[in-house]
Amino acid sequence: MKKVLTVCPYCGSGCQLYLCVEDNRVVGAEPANGPINEGELCLKGHYGWDFLNDTKILSKRLTKPMLRYTRSEPLREVEWDEALDYVAGKLKTIKEQYGPDAIMGTGSARGTGNETNYVMQRFMRAVIGTNNVDHCARVCHGPSVAGLTAIFGSGAMSNSIPEIEDADCLLIFGYNAADAHPLVAKRILRAKQKGAKIIVVDPRKTEAARISDLWLQLKNGSNMALVNSFANIILAKGWHNDYFINNFTEGFAEYCNTVKKYTPEYAQAITGIEPDLVEAAMKIYTHSKNSFILWGMGVTQFGQAVDVVKGLGSLCLLTGQIGKPSSGVGPVRGQNNVQGACDMGALPNIYPGYQAVTDAANRKKFAKAWGVETLPDKIGFTITEVPHAVAAGKLKAFYIIGEDPVQSDPDSGGLKKALNDLEFVIVQDIFMNKTALYADVILPATSWGEHGGVFSGADRRFQRFRKAVDAKGDVKDDWVIIGELAKRFGYELTYKNTEAIWNEMISLCPSYAGATYEKMERQGSVQWPCRTLEDPGTDYLFKGNIFQTTSKKGIFFATEWRAPAEVPDEQYPIVLCTVREVGHYSSRTMTGNCWGLSQLADEPGYVQISVEDAARLDIEDEQLMRVTSRRGSVISRARVSDRVKAGAVYMTYQWWIGACNELTIDNLDPISKTPEYKYCAVKLEAIADQEEAERQLIASYNDLKRKMGAEVS
């Protein structure tokens, strides 16, 4: 048996592991001594490799290109030349007829790696001629990038994950690390054991809330009001850092004016938090030597997400809790390479290395390197704007790599209509999924474990991941597929290997210039910025309190709280909030095809409901129940819990039958265009005939699995 060192393909922590291989088959996984996990793994790390063996538990691996010339035909297997010739011909026709901006493409935040994202954004910009390229950071931490860039000049974690355990205070805001990032949760526990004070802001009693010193159980949708009240009490008590403010920041006077009215007493009417708790929390935060703010999608998936990110960052500026070890901001990214897809410029407004497409000098540099005369200067569409752009007749083709937006994006009914209305849909993936059912062409790619490259962890950490087994079937690496497609446009986009792609990329990005494959191999990982060959990388940002804004100063921000777009009413009296669970990942095509993980839970998933609401509606634990919003209606299974408050329910998004995104609203943050997954209005209903509901559930589930090519008994 051989053991291949690689990086876990699930959350953004970046844990290293060994894949155990016998006869070109993965038979197990063992933890490696990586800088994040230090010889430990979570459930997904231990048991999340089985999908590589094409178990067909949930869906089948794609092993041959598939195509249909009309939507009335079934997809049929074809050879690569037929599939790629057809894709190139259709894209050329659409570009000629409607212009390059009628075509949208995605990168992927999952197992494809940084090199594929670099090649894909280059294809869209240099070959198609549009900045319409985006990926799923848009639906999770897009607000973190936009908000932190605005106030600090850099949109990533300021400190490394290992530094969490040495903080004296952790302010954990809308972040359930135990389910989202179990090895980060371990660092939180270690910090607690070392004496750190833990403050948790969350409407649910999460595992972090359970061990916290202070739990602020705010009302759903009141984040901005609470952050403003934090600033208000710090100023009122004189706990702010005058030296830091005077020397390293801008905009303090306007900031003070905005937060002036948000006394803890005023904010209580919005947040439900007792003023004494606000004061106690900020006393700990400001009086601790090193305070570290961690947040997740409980901050970023609201219509006012970017504002809240800026508000949290401004707390650091107000107190000087940044620019030093174990002190700063930690937006902990969700999927394993969502940081990397951003780093590589799979976004509609930036090139790799966060270089703006609107800057003429940047366009000239990349155009020269990529051998084209010009590059587009207009910021492209985001993926969350696709349904609206299709309805407006602006988008005609969608090239989707490693994403399943029908499952993962809000208001999936609206997205399905958009896919039906598009003239051409291409899906490039490793499994059949709900989105692929709408495709005109499916291009089968190799999976994590079957190719190598570089991932970026949540703390700006480049790490090599490696091929362990040869892929089965007629599949190709993602970047090879894109290169062969580019050739059909008369454009050379071929590389010898992933290192050649990487070397081209770092030659164009000053922040990554010294992060070579050799250095990653030698050091185990490299955190950017890493500007020279001699530079080992950067563990924490803003040393010397020098920020990356134009003025080199931090820029304060505060604004008025505004309510979510769709508040409960008589017809839909309950708040729905989407969350994560520990055993499954993304749209479940990987974890749902792993035997061990598939045993943890199955369709239709669960809806967490309070004891009070369950009793009022006569719903018992484990019973099937119906959840309905203005956009759709699904059944799910009740999980009656004393960890949630009356008036709100919580669902995870990976289930096909209990698909919460049939219900969610596509209200977007005005800056980041991130959806408000954490808040929409629903009604709940008990189901009288449970036996019939169970029969219908099984029938619907088996029908979907057959469409996905699973083996159904």
Side-chain angles (χ1 to χ4, degrees):
M1 182 174 68
K2 70 174 181 179
K3 296 182 180 180
V4 179
L5 179 64
T6 191
V7 179
C8 182
Y10 292 107
C11 79
S13 301
C15 299
Q16 293 186 4
L17 56 83
Y18 292 101
L19 282 177
C20 304
V21 179
E22 286 183 351
D23 299 327
N24 196 41
R25 182 179 174 86
V26 177
V27 296
E30 295 178 359
N33 190 30
I36 302 300
N37 56 313
E38 296 178 332
E40 297 184 78
L41 288 175
C42 73
L43 270 176
K44 291 194 285 290
H46 272 296
Y47 304 110
W49 45 267
D50 207 14
F51 71 90
L52 285 166
N53 298 320
D54 196 11
T55 60
K56 297 185 178 63
I57 297 170
L58 189 70
S59 55
K60 71 172 183 177
R61 275 294 301 271
L62 296 165
T63 56
K64 190 82 177 172
M66 300 174 78
L67 178 154
R68 57 183 164 192
Y69 289 110
T70 69
R71 298 269 171 90
S72 60
E73 300 173 5
L75 287 157
R76 62 183 175 81
E77 293 188 347
V78 297
E79 298 301 320
W80 274 102
D81 279 344
E82 183 178 354
L84 292 175
D85 287 348
Y86 184 57
V87 170
K90 287 289 290 186
L91 291 181
K92 285 178 187 175
T93 300
I94 289 170
K95 180 179 176 180
E96 187 177 322
Q97 188 172 353
Y98 303 106
D101 289 335
I103 301 171
M104 177 83 195
T106 78
S108 175
R110 299 168 72 180
T112 55
N114 282 338
E115 291 83 350
T116 287
N117 281 292
Y118 174 80
V119 172
M120 182 58 179
Q121 61 83 35
R122 178 177 166 181
F123 172 78
M124 292 302 296
R125 289 176 165 129
V127 180
I128 300 297
T130 180
N131 285 314
N132 288 345
V133 60
D134 200 13
H135 71 285
C136 68
R138 186 67 49 201
V139 297
C140 56
H141 269 288
S144 298
V145 178
L148 295 178
T149 300
I151 62 169
F152 298 142
S154 175
M157 283 184 75
S158 63
N159 296 64
S160 66
I161 289 172
E163 290 175 55
I164 291 171
E165 68 179 66
D166 293 320
D168 300 293
C169 165
L170 292 176
L171 172 55
I172 302 171
F173 203 124
Y175 174 43
N176 184 7
D179 280 354
H181 305 90
L183 271 295
V184 174
K186 188 97 178 178
R187 300 281 182 177
I188 294 171
L189 280 174
R190 285 187 191 169
K192 176 80 174 176
Q193 290 163 353
K194 290 181 178 181
K197 296 292 186 184
I198 310 293
I199 304 164
V200 171
V201 179
D202 205 299
R204 284 191 306 163
K205 191 173 186 180
T206 60
E207 287 302 298
R210 196 173 61 78
I211 65 158
S212 66
D213 296 277
L214 286 176
W215 174 32
L216 280 60
Q217 190 180 19
L218 81 172
K219 293 179 183 175
N220 302 61
S222 63
N223 289 352
M224 192 74 238
L226 182 61
V227 172
N228 283 346
S229 74
F230 283 165
N232 180 286
I233 194 69
I234 290 171
L235 289 163
K237 292 292 181 181
W239 294 336
H240 52 289
N241 185 331
D242 281 327
Y243 174 78
F244 193 94
I245 293 165
N246 291 335
N247 289 280
F248 307 116
T249 71
E250 294 177 348
F252 180 59
E254 187 178 353
Y255 177 75
C256 293
N257 192 45
T258 303
V259 303
K260 189 176 180 180
K261 82 174 186 186
Y262 286 87
T263 63
E265 291 77 13
Y266 172 83
Q268 184 181 10
I270 303 168
T271 65
I273 303 294
E274 293 284 342
D276 288 350
L277 269 179
V278 174
E279 180 177 335
M282 287 304 97
K283 186 173 184 180
I284 293 171
Y285 178 77
T286 55
H287 287 68
S288 296
K289 182 181 178 185
N290 296 309
S291 292
F292 199 161
I293 306 175
L294 304 175
W295 68 81
M297 287 175 280
V299 165
T300 60
Q301 291 182 335
F302 279 103
Q304 196 177 14
V306 173
D307 291 348
V308 175
V309 169
K310 290 178 181 176
L312 290 170
S314 294
L315 294 179
C316 300
L317 299 177
L318 190 60
T319 57
Q321 291 283 16
I322 196 162
K324 54 186 180 179
S326 301
S327 181
V329 291
V332 191
R333 310 299 289 262
Q335 301 197 50
N336 70 310
N337 199 40
V338 70
Q339 180 69 53
C342 293
D343 294 347
M344 296 301 109
L347 293 168
N349 62 331
I350 56 166
Y351 296 118
Y354 302 93
Q355 299 171 85
V357 299
T358 51
D359 184 296
N362 289 338
R363 289 198 302 276
K364 185 178 179 182
K365 177 175 77 170
F366 281 95
K368 182 180 179 184
W370 294 343
V372 293
E373 290 187 8
T374 61
L375 287 168
D377 59 357
K378 175 187 159 192
I379 293 173
F381 289 122
T382 64
I383 52 172
T384 49
E385 292 175 308
V386 166
H388 306 285
V390 173
K394 295 177 180 176
L395 276 182
K396 301 295 181 182
F398 197 6
Y399 183 1
I400 305 161
I401 297 181
E403 305 240 353
D404 184 5
V406 169
Q407 186 69 30
S408 61
D409 286 16
D411 185 15
S412 52
L415 185 62
K416 290 173 192 173
K417 181 180 185 309
L419 292 172
N420 274 325
D421 290 345
L422 282 162
E423 290 188 13
F424 195 51
V425 178
I426 311 154
V427 168
Q428 183 168 309
D429 215 306
I430 60 174
F431 281 105
M432 279 298 292
N433 58 41
K434 277 186 170 178
T435 304
L437 296 175
Y438 293 82
D440 299 286
V441 179
I442 297 176
L443 304 174
T446 55
S447 167
W448 169 86
E450 298 166 348
H451 60 236
V454 174
F455 289 150
S456 300
D459 61 354
R460 300 170 281 105
R461 188 180 304 272
F462 292 140
Q463 296 186 104
R464 295 278 311 278
F465 66 99
R466 296 171 178 83
K467 176 179 176 178
V469 294
D470 295 325
K472 298 180 179 66
D474 193 7
V475 301
K476 298 175 184 283
D477 291 348
D478 287 290
W479 58 271
V480 173
I481 298 170
I482 300 164
E484 292 186 4
L485 190 55
K487 191 172 291 183
R488 286 163 167 81
F489 284 79
Y491 185 85
E492 192 62 38
L493 192 56
T494 56
Y495 297 90
K496 181 180 177 184
N497 50 37
T498 55
E499 186 171 10
I501 302 170
W502 187 261
N503 287 340
E504 175 183 302
M505 186 279 295
I506 63 175
S507 75
L508 293 165
C509 301
S511 293
Y512 315 148
T516 62
Y517 266 37
E518 184 277 331
K519 188 179 292 183
M520 282 183 259
E521 198 74 31
R522 175 163 42 86
Q523 294 185 177
S525 65
V526 178
Q527 286 179 272
W528 62 261
C530 177
R531 297 185 174 87
T532 66
L533 291 176
E534 293 74 31
D535 182 355
T538 307
D539 47 4
Y540 67 91
L541 302 177
F542 318 131
K543 290 175 185 173
N545 303 319
I546 301 168
F547 296 97
Q548 294 170 17
T549 57
T550 304
S551 64
K552 306 299 180 189
K553 293 188 175 184
I555 300 170
F556 276 109
F557 177 88
T559 191
E560 298 289 340
W561 167 79
R562 61 176 184 268
E566 186 183 67
V567 296
D569 56 18
E570 190 174 339
Q571 188 178 5
Y572 298 97
I574 301 288
V575 173
L576 168 65
C577 176
T578 67
V579 293
R580 290 194 173 207
E581 63 186 73
V582 69
H584 283 293
Y585 168 78
S586 191
S587 54
R588 197 166 56 113
T589 48
M590 290 160 67
T591 53
N593 279 301
C594 295
W595 187 88
L597 298 175
S598 68
Q599 305 304 303
L600 294 174
D602 208 342
E603 295 286 353
Y606 285 92
V607 53
Q608 298 173 40
I609 179 173
S610 72
V611 176
E612 296 84 357
D613 286 331
R616 179 174 57 82
L617 296 166
D618 196 22
I619 294 170
E620 295 181 11
D621 193 40
E622 294 287 335
Q623 277 191 338
L624 293 175
M625 56 181 285
R626 181 162 292 282
V627 188
T628 304
S629 77
R630 289 179 174 84
R631 291 154 294 282
S633 184
V634 302
I635 62 166
S636 186
R637 201 175 296 281
R639 175 162 286 162
V640 181
S641 171
D642 61 3
R643 291 192 175 204
V644 303
K645 289 175 74 170
V649 293
Y650 299 82
M651 298 175 73
T652 52
Y653 80 89
Q654 69 269 10
W655 305 108
W656 290 344
I657 307 296
C660 62
N661 281 325
E662 300 276 351
L663 313 172
T664 50
I665 187 170
D666 66 349
N667 177 50
L668 306 180
D669 180 281
I671 298 169
S672 68
K673 309 298 182 187
T674 302
E676 194 159 57
Y677 289 105
K678 299 299 186 197
Y679 203 107
C680 72
V682 297
K683 64 180 178 183
L684 312 176
E685 296 169 276
I687 297 176
D689 191 341
Q690 288 287 309
E691 288 187 10
E692 177 57 23
E694 294 283 0
R695 276 194 292 273
Q696 289 182 12
L697 164 65
I698 292 169
S700 298
Y701 188 22
N702 285 342
D703 181 53
L704 266 173
K705 285 201 289 188
R706 288 188 188 95
K707 287 180 180 175
M708 304 292 182
E711 294 177 346
V712 180
S713 57

